[in-house]
């Protein structure tokens, strides 16, 4: 996942499901990216969701490659 263009990619391996990450930002407008893949190479049934202040900003159901969520947050 990425929380900002300057922070770089963060990786979480073998996370217990459901995985959740919360953060607070004071950056104003930003780009949030989340990629979910299955650890065994089969990502069918994997999904991802990005919420901002409790509201869904992006959601994707996975396929054999994975699930990809991208949200642009404008201040």
């Amino acid at each position: 996942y990425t929380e900002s263009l300057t922070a770089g990619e963060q990786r979480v391996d073998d996370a217990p499901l459901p995985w959740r990450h919360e953060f607070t930002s004071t950056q104003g407008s930003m780009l949030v990216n989340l990629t979910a893949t299955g650890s065994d190479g089969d990502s069918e049934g994997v999904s991802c969701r990005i919420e901002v202040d409790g509201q869904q900003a992006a959601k994707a159901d996975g396929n054999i490659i994975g699930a990809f969520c991208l949200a642009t947050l404008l201040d």
Side-chain angles (χ1 to χ4, degrees), residues 1-73:
Y1 66 91
T2 56
E3 295 174 2
S4 73
L5 294 175
T6 58
E9 179 181 289
Q10 303 295 313
R11 183 176 174 135
V12 179
D13 292 318
D14 300 320
L17 298 178
W19 179 79
R20 182 182 187 110
H21 174 69
E22 293 184 30
F23 69 97
T24 301
S25 175
T26 58
Q27 295 182 37
S29 298
M30 63 187 301
L31 180 69
V32 180
N33 176 44
L34 173 64
T35 302
T37 58
S39 61
D40 60 359
D42 181 7
S43 296
E44 290 189 60
V46 172
S47 64
C48 63
R49 181 176 65 226
I50 297 172
E51 291 184 0
V52 178
D53 296 329
Q55 300 296 315
Q56 184 172 291
K59 181 180 186 295
D61 293 322
N63 54 40
I64 198 161
I65 298 170
F68 309 94
C69 289
L70 180 65
T72 303
L73 312 176

